């Protein structure tokens, strides 16, 4: 991914599975090196809050909260099962300490209950093109995102085995946890699916464009019950009909807008049946793709939310307009109501 000219990137290794120490050390060094001239330090990964360099502690630090950290432990395959209950109280203590020491931005209204204070909420959305994409085809079902058991990787492999004999290709785009990699490699060698591995998000979504189904087969995990699945919005933005499990945030988007189909949890046969329905009914999939794009453009276009995000960071960095005296003065965002 080529960064904007206004950005000076510093590359660090990716943390994968239990091999995280090298990546954390590299991030630690990068933060130490660049903290001195920063007006504000924005962190997404709670792991970076644990071993924050001394140079960073004196700066304004913002934790951009994108998941229920403690609940997410059950979905992280690299965390040993017996350890997860022991880590959960430690994670909650980390959250309380971070709330006392740092600024917090929340990506979901549902995260408010985890914290004592009132923190700004800015949804994590996506860019939606001005012009609608072309209609979805009848040949491919795609998934974009990290691949794990909890995110439905094994379900998608089983679904691909059902669909491959019918000429429908399942394409999985993203890095994978160690526990599902062997199954992915085997399925790819057998020709029942394509697994691209890690691809930068902008390129991955270009690959997804034109597909007849965007898969979001998340399991019924605590962390997913009140987190909007960004991939659902990304599929919608590119005119791809959604096939999703019934996590409440996904249902609240997909059903009212009529942009996809909801299937039961951990049911590859039902997911395959939904994909077949989209292949066989061109009018249905084209209509769902169109409605998804229109809803995404009206409600989830990132520039609509970005002004509040940037204004809040400027306020905390001491660079906000003089008229904004405190967080309460940041104008509230009102979502436009799309017409269907």
């Amino acid at each position: 991914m080529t960064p904007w000219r206004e950005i000076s990137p510093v590359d660090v290794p990716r943390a994968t599975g239990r091999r995280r120490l090298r990546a954390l050390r590299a991030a630690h060094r990068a933060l130490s090196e660049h903290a001195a001239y920063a007006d504000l330090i924005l962190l997404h990964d709670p792991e970076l809050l644990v071993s924050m360099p001394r140079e960073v502690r004196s700066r304004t630090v913002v934790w951009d909260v994108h998941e229920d950290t403690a609940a997410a432990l059950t979905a992280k395959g690299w965390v040993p099962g017996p350890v997860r209950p022991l880590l959960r109280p430690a994670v909650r203590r980390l959250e309380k300490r971070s709330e006392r020491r740092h600024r917090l931005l929340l990506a979901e209204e549902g995260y408010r209950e985890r914290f004592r204070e009132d923190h700004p909420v800015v949804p994590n959305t996506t860019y939606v093109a001005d012009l609608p994409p072309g209609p979805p085809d009848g040949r491919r079902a795609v998934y974009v995102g990290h691949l794990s058991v909890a995110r439905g990787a094994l379900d998608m492999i089983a679904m691909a085995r059902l669909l491959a004999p019918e000429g429908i290709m399942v394409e999985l785009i993203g890095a994978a946890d160690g526990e599902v990699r062997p199954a992915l490699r085997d399925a790819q060698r057998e020709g029942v699916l394509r697994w691209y591995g890690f691809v930068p998000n902008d390129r991955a979504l270009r690959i997804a464009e034109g597909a007849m189904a965007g898969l979001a087969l998340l399991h019924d995990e605590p962390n997913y019950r009140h987190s909007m699945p960004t991939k659902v919005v990304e599929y919608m933005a590119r005119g791809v009909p959604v096939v999703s499990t019934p996590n409440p945030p996904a249902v609240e988007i997909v059903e009212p807008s009529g942009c996809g189909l909801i299937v039961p949890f951990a049911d590859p046969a039902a997911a395959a049946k939904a994909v077949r329905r989209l292949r066989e009914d061109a009018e249905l999939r084209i209509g769902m793709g169109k409605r998804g794009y229109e809803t995404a453009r009206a409600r989830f276009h990132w520039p609509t939310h970005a002004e509040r995000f940037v204004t809040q960071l400027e306020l905390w960095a001491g660079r906000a307009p003089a008229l904004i005296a405190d967080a309460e003065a940041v104008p509230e965002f009102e979502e436009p109501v799309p017409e269907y």
Side-chain angles (χ1 to χ4, degrees), residues 201-335:
N201 189 252
D202 59 336
R203 286 171 48 200
L205 292 171
R206 284 200 296 273
I207 295 170
E209 276 192 21
M212 66 173 161
L215 305 173
L217 305 184
L218 302 175
H219 286 189
D220 187 17
E221 295 283 344
N223 185 42
Y224 301 147
R225 291 173 195 156
H226 49 74
S227 295
M228 181 181 73
T230 307
K231 62 176 57 59
V232 166
V233 176
E234 290 175 332
Y235 298 148
M236 293 166 61
R238 284 148 186 86
V240 177
V242 178
V243 175
S244 173
T245 46
N247 286 292
V251 173
E252 289 169 9
I253 298 171
V254 172
E255 287 192 339
S257 65
C259 70
L261 302 171
I262 302 297
V263 299
F265 291 110
D267 191 338
K273 183 178 179 181
V275 172
R276 289 190 195 100
R277 182 181 171 193
L278 290 169
R279 181 189 62 175
E280 293 163 2
D281 192 336
E283 183 178 353
L284 176 69
R285 70 172 182 266
I286 290 170
M288 285 184 168
K290 181 175 182 290
R291 291 190 292 272
Y293 166 79
E294 291 170 348
T295 302
R297 181 69 186 180
R299 295 180 54 196
F300 302 114
H301 187 34
W302 170 242
T304 307
H305 302 262
E307 184 176 357
R308 177 167 172 77
F309 181 83
V310 172
T311 299
Q312 187 64 69
L313 295 183
E314 287 178 335
L315 170 67
W316 285 334
R319 293 189 173 189
L323 290 175
I324 298 180
D326 53 42
E328 296 298 325
V330 179
E332 290 294 329
F333 169 73
E334 293 183 7
E335 289 190 348

Side-chain angles (χ1 to χ4, degrees), residues 103-276:
R103 306 284 192 173
L104 270 61
L105 266 176
L106 311 183
E108 300 282 350
E109 287 287 344
Y111 296 161
R112 287 187 183 275
E113 62 189 33
R114 288 159 47 199
F115 301 100
R116 294 183 59 185
E117 304 297 328
D118 188 27
H119 302 286
V121 177
V122 181
N124 182 31
T125 57
T126 189
Y127 284 92
V128 185
D130 295 339
L131 298 176
D137 62 32
R139 299 183 302 277
R140 298 181 300 135
V142 301
Y143 170 86
V144 176
H146 191 82
L147 288 152
S148 67
V149 172
R151 292 171 183 259
L154 299 180
D155 303 326
M156 289 186 283
I157 294 171
M159 183 192 73
R161 293 188 186 281
L162 296 172
L163 295 174
E166 303 170 30
I168 299 174
M169 179 56 66
V170 173
E171 299 183 337
L172 308 180
I173 310 168
D177 282 355
E179 62 185 330
V180 300
R181 279 188 214 126
L184 287 165
R185 292 193 189 104
D186 289 346
Q188 179 151 267
R189 279 195 291 265
E190 294 168 32
V192 300
L193 57 75
R194 290 194 192 103
W195 175 36
Y196 290 78
F198 172 76
V199 177
N201 189 252
D202 59 336
R203 286 171 48 200
L205 292 171
R206 284 200 296 273
I207 295 170
E209 276 192 21
M212 66 173 161
L215 305 173
L217 305 184
L218 302 175
H219 286 189
D220 187 17
E221 295 283 344
N223 185 42
Y224 301 147
R225 291 173 195 156
H226 49 74
S227 295
M228 181 181 73
T230 307
K231 62 176 57 59
V232 166
V233 176
E234 290 175 332
Y235 298 148
M236 293 166 61
R238 284 148 186 86
V240 177
V242 178
V243 175
S244 173
T245 46
N247 286 292
V251 173
E252 289 169 9
I253 298 171
V254 172
E255 287 192 339
S257 65
C259 70
L261 302 171
I262 302 297
V263 299
F265 291 110
D267 191 338
K273 183 178 179 181
V275 172
R276 289 190 195 100

Side-chain angles (χ1 to χ4, degrees), residues 63-79:
W63 177 22
D64 195 0
V65 183
H66 277 243
E67 66 178 4
D68 185 338
T69 316
L73 291 172
T74 62
K76 295 186 184 297
W78 56 270
V79 179

